[in-house]
Amino acid sequence: MKKQHISDAVIRRLPRYYRYLDELHSRGVVRISSNTLGKRMGVTASQIRQDLSCFGEFGQQGYGYNIMELRSEIGRILGVDEPRRLILIGAGHLGHALLQSFDFAQGGFRLDTAFDVSSALIGTSINGVAVRSMDELDAYCAANRPAVAVLTIPKAAAQETADRLVALGVRGIWNFTNVELSAGDGVSIENVHFADSLLTLSYRIAKRPETEKESL
């Protein structure tokens, strides 16, 4: 892998490449050109080549990309081949939905434990994931050293819980609390704001030409 600064925009496109390649691989497609992949993803072929060049040399002129090999390489870059232990904090409505429907294992994460403060949830299991009391968090982290935590808790408890997790050695937080969390060096936070995504959609609809709207 090349040693250089990789822009956030490139990093955010990598999972999309991996997902498309995974879908093609599951359908038995063996190879693809950057032009075809770009058309499927809505980006230019030159953008794909430029993004991939940040990490090394991929593909062959006149042949394109071997889908299985490129998928494997991007998975390695993303760390999919190095399973990391993950915990979920907050097994309420949103946390429950993630536990039921999101495939953490596909992203290279091992999830077997969630934490909550509700006595109605503690001691239960959701899709094979045990729900423990927050009182057990310190001991669990000391014994299992989870790398990532998913936060699906109320805003009021978000920063305090994040600080506690960082002190326990958690290095990454997937944050669904609608609060912009802060953390020290060496800790990565991915803030997920559903409203931002919806408002982006609203903008695109609002800016669509009136003639196009009328034809719908």
Side-chain angles (χ1 to χ4, degrees), residues 31-77:
R31 68 185 178 97
I32 192 169
S33 68
S34 55
N35 284 320
T36 303
L37 183 58
K39 288 177 182 178
R40 288 174 179 270
M41 297 184 58
V43 297
T44 64
S46 61
Q47 182 70 74
I48 292 174
R49 291 192 293 268
Q50 183 178 333
D51 288 351
L52 295 179
S53 70
C54 294
F55 304 96
E57 300 297 327
F58 303 93
Q60 301 175 26
Q61 188 172 5
Y63 176 86
Y65 302 108
N66 179 290
I67 287 175
M68 185 172 68
E69 291 178 0
L70 184 58
R71 169 182 170 272
S72 178
E73 283 297 316
I74 294 178
R76 182 182 59 79
I77 292 166

Side-chain angles (χ1 to χ4, degrees), residues 29 164 169:
V29 182
R164 181 180 176 185

Side-chain angles (χ1 to χ4, degrees), residues 1 11 14-15 18 55 70-85 104-110 147-148 171:
M1 184 182 297
I11 293 169
L14 286 178
Y18 184 78
F55 304 96
L70 184 58
R71 169 182 170 272
S72 178
E73 283 297 316
I74 294 178
R76 182 182 59 79
I77 292 166
L78 292 170
V80 173
D81 59 345
E82 298 177 6
R84 295 175 173 86
R85 187 173 293 277
F104 289 94
Q106 188 175 32
F109 293 100
R110 293 178 295 169
V148 177
R171 295 180 286 118

Side-chain angles (χ1 to χ4, degrees), residues 40 100 155 182:
R40 288 174 179 270
Q100 285 282 20
K155 293 181 180 181
S182 60

Side-chain angles (χ1 to χ4, degrees), residues 83-185:
R84 295 175 173 86
R85 187 173 293 277
L86 174 147
I87 57 176
L88 183 139
I89 312 295
H93 295 300
L94 179 55
H96 189 281
L98 285 172
L99 292 172
Q100 285 282 20
S101 60
F102 190 83
D103 188 355
F104 289 94
Q106 188 175 32
F109 293 100
R110 293 178 295 169
L111 170 62
D112 59 18
T113 305
F115 295 87
D116 206 280
V117 297
S118 170
S119 58
L121 292 172
I122 295 169
T124 65
S125 177
I126 302 172
N127 198 23
V129 177
V131 181
R132 304 190 187 196
S133 167
M134 284 293 289
D135 294 337
E136 300 180 59
L137 180 63
D138 291 32
Y140 178 91
C141 289
N144 297 280
R145 300 186 178 279
V148 177
V150 182
L151 284 190
T152 52
I153 58 177
K155 293 181 180 181
Q159 187 63 59
E160 179 183 356
T161 303
D163 292 342
R164 181 180 176 185
L165 289 165
V166 171
L168 291 171
V170 170
R171 295 180 286 118
I173 297 175
W174 199 20
N175 173 34
F176 288 85
T177 67
N178 281 321
V179 173
E180 293 289 334
L181 299 175
S182 60
D185 294 338

